[in-house]
Amino acid sequence: MFCFLALFIQRIRLPKTSWHLSKTGTDERLKKDQMKKLSMLLLRFLFVFMVVKSASAASQQVLPGEVWRDNRGQQIQAHGGGILHWKGAYYWVGEDRTQSNDPDKRYVACYVSRDLVHWTFRGQVLALADPEHLGPNWVLERPKLFHNPRTGKFVLYFHLDDGHYKLARVGIAVSERIDGNYTYVKSFRPLDQESRDIGQFIDDDGSAYLIFESRPTKGFIIARLSDDYMTVDKQISFIRAPLEGGALVHYNGLYYVLGSHMTGWRPNPNVYATAPLLSGPWTEFKDIAPQKASTYEAQSTMLLKIVGSKETSVIFMGDVWKPRTIWDSRYLWIPVQIGNGELHLPSPHPWLLNVKAGGTTIK
Ligand code: GAL
């Protein structure tokens, strides 16, 4: 912007003849000419200023459902992912479905950002070969990252399964560094229950929870992680609703839980319920958007709370799955309207976040 300004100021030079001394008609014409030139230049400057300003505003926006590129210009690979807010930055981990990946391995990628718009690739933090003889088409999905304040370790949870989704377990990998190479530790069924889609929740007091779908009991379980986060040690809530893609947020004294119906990769109208305590009682589930919108083709993966100096915003993070070209699946992130027991997902429009103040503006 300053370059443009400098360029134009350089070009706006006053005439060599002094204006107030000019008396003749030629001088008058010269003066008019100069004024005309000056206003033309100013107009051009204003035009360029507006174009540059709107281009830079657009580059600060989140564009729900559009291709989202990282600092390398590559499409972000963090499907079914989660975000950990750590030392002032947001770390996004998710399924890395890059086409050129080794088909026998499963990958988790990690990105970092301070504004939720520009993401820097930090690497494939997990590149795992079949850890439990799960066979062809084995599954590693919906990775979620926790930081344990007691051990200082970063613990990555994910859904681990065979190609038929019969194993229904949780897998764990750990690292000393948030974006380091994670080492596979083990897999288990949390609280001896089948567990498929997982979600994560960190409460305002820092305690960490896993939300998982338990099919035989047709329920959504909220369970607390053990002190070292290496296992799940206590059921906090059992919500009798066959839902997956679990997400939770605590906002203005109420817990909001969110999930999708079980239609595989196909979108459906996601629903939410609220409770004064994590243990319930939970209200009936209601739609987050008009039914026919089908969550604008997305499926929930997380509710991200941004606490700023002035406001608190909650972002719905969803995946727009493209099962045939899974690497091209998109992200639908939209700030929700939330409060007094209501949660509403507005239709997708570009939006801006003011990270410091915590407010969002939908364009
Ligand atoms: C969805 C689930 C995804 C993936 C998919 C496979 O229901 O949320 O994570 O498992 O099924 O069909």
Side-chain angles (χ1 to χ4, degrees):
M1 175 49 53
F2 289 114
C3 299
F4 280 111
L5 195 57
L7 199 78
F8 280 101
I9 287 172
Q10 259 184 16
R11 296 190 59 179
I12 304 170
R13 270 198 233 110
L14 289 173
K16 284 205 180 94
T17 353
S18 148
W19 289 9
H20 64 274
L21 289 178
S22 58
K23 287 191 184 73
T24 64
T26 327
D27 284 345
E28 280 301 317
R29 266 205 312 280
L30 194 64
K31 195 170 153 188
K32 270 193 190 153
D33 234 33
Q34 296 289 357
M35 288 307 284
K36 219 164 123 187
K37 269 190 187 162
L38 196 67
S39 27
M40 286 305 287
L41 281 171
L42 274 172
L43 269 176
R44 277 163 70 183
F45 168 70
L46 259 174
F47 175 74
V48 174
F49 177 77
M50 299 300 281
V51 170
V52 174
K53 195 163 183 273
S54 74
S56 98
S59 73
Q60 297 304 318
Q61 294 174 6
V62 175
L63 308 170
E66 302 286 322
V67 168
W68 204 344
R69 298 191 188 279
D70 64 13
N71 60 312
R72 306 165 303 167
Q74 294 188 19
Q75 213 164 326
I76 293 176
Q77 293 293 326
H79 312 285
I83 285 192
L84 182 65
H85 190 213
W86 168 248
K87 293 195 171 169
Y90 297 95
Y91 290 83
W92 183 6
V93 295
E95 299 161 31
D96 183 330
R97 306 282 198 155
T98 305
Q99 258 184 299
S100 55
N101 281 346
D102 175 348
D104 292 334
K105 289 188 176 166
R106 302 292 175 267
Y107 298 81
V108 175
C110 176
Y111 301 81
V112 66
S113 171
R114 287 194 179 265
D115 60 8
L116 295 188
V117 179
H118 303 96
W119 292 93
T120 302
F121 180 65
R122 281 294 181 86
Q124 291 182 320
V125 291
L126 186 68
L128 194 64
D130 182 349
E132 312 260 358
H133 310 291
L134 302 166
N137 305 319
W138 67 281
V139 167
L140 187 160
E141 288 176 344
R142 296 188 174 265
K144 302 285 179 288
L145 185 56
F146 297 91
H147 173 252
N148 187 286
R150 292 180 187 85
T151 63
K153 291 199 170 125
F154 295 92
V155 187
L156 190 64
Y157 271 71
F158 42 86
H159 169 201
L160 189 73
D161 227 316
D162 61 276
H164 303 283
Y165 289 89
K166 293 273 182 276
L167 190 82
R169 287 165 87 92
V170 156
I172 292 186
V174 295
S175 170
E176 300 287 336
R177 283 196 4 244
I178 193 164
D179 56 356
N181 290 324
Y182 283 75
T183 311
Y184 180 76
V185 179
K186 60 177 177 181
S187 78
F188 59 93
R189 278 188 170 173
L191 309 168
D192 286 329
Q193 304 282 333
E194 290 190 10
S195 165
R196 290 184 177 81
D197 278 8
I198 59 161
Q200 78 184 121
F201 175 59
I202 300 170
D203 210 341
D204 301 333
D205 65 0
S207 41
Y209 301 85
L210 194 72
I211 311 148
F212 61 94
E213 180 254 324
S214 154
R215 203 152 298 182
T217 49
K218 292 200 170 25
F220 222 23
I221 295 179
I222 301 170
R224 203 180 58 204
L225 302 191
S226 63
D227 283 353
D228 62 2
Y229 292 3
M230 298 306 281
T231 191
V232 169
D233 74 0
K234 190 166 186 252
Q235 179 172 311
I236 304 296
S237 215
F238 172 78
I239 308 175
R240 199 171 293 282
L243 296 170
E244 58 184 11
L248 247 173
V249 73
H250 188 222
Y251 183 86
N252 260 356
L254 270 184
Y255 290 91
Y256 293 73
V257 70
L258 175 79
S260 83
H261 301 287
M262 293 197 281
T263 55
W265 300 119
R266 279 178 299 110
N268 59 61
N270 292 189
V271 288
Y272 77 98
T274 65
L277 299 171
L278 258 193
S279 52
W282 292 93
T283 60
E284 291 296 304
F285 280 88
K286 288 198 273 186
D287 293 320
I288 62 167
Q291 284 236 331
K292 60 176 185 337
S294 238
T295 324
Y296 307 107
E297 311 294 308
Q299 183 189 21
S300 53
T301 187
M302 191 165 180
L303 286 169
L304 178 65
K305 185 158 88 168
I306 313 281
V307 183
S309 56
K310 296 212 175 87
E311 281 174 68
T312 295
S313 296
V314 176
I315 317 289
F316 168 93
M317 289 169 51
D319 294 282
V320 179
W321 297 111
K322 297 194 174 192
R324 294 214 179 120
T325 49
I326 195 94
W327 56 90
D328 186 32
S329 299
R330 307 287 170 80
Y331 311 101
L332 188 107
W333 291 13
I334 300 177
V336 294
Q337 291 157 5
I338 187 169
N340 301 321
E342 302 290 325
L343 188 153
H344 175 72
L345 180 71
S347 58
H349 290 283
W351 56 274
L352 298 164
L353 167 71
N354 182 335
V355 193
K356 281 211 178 101
T360 58
T361 316
I362 299 188
K363 290 284 161 180

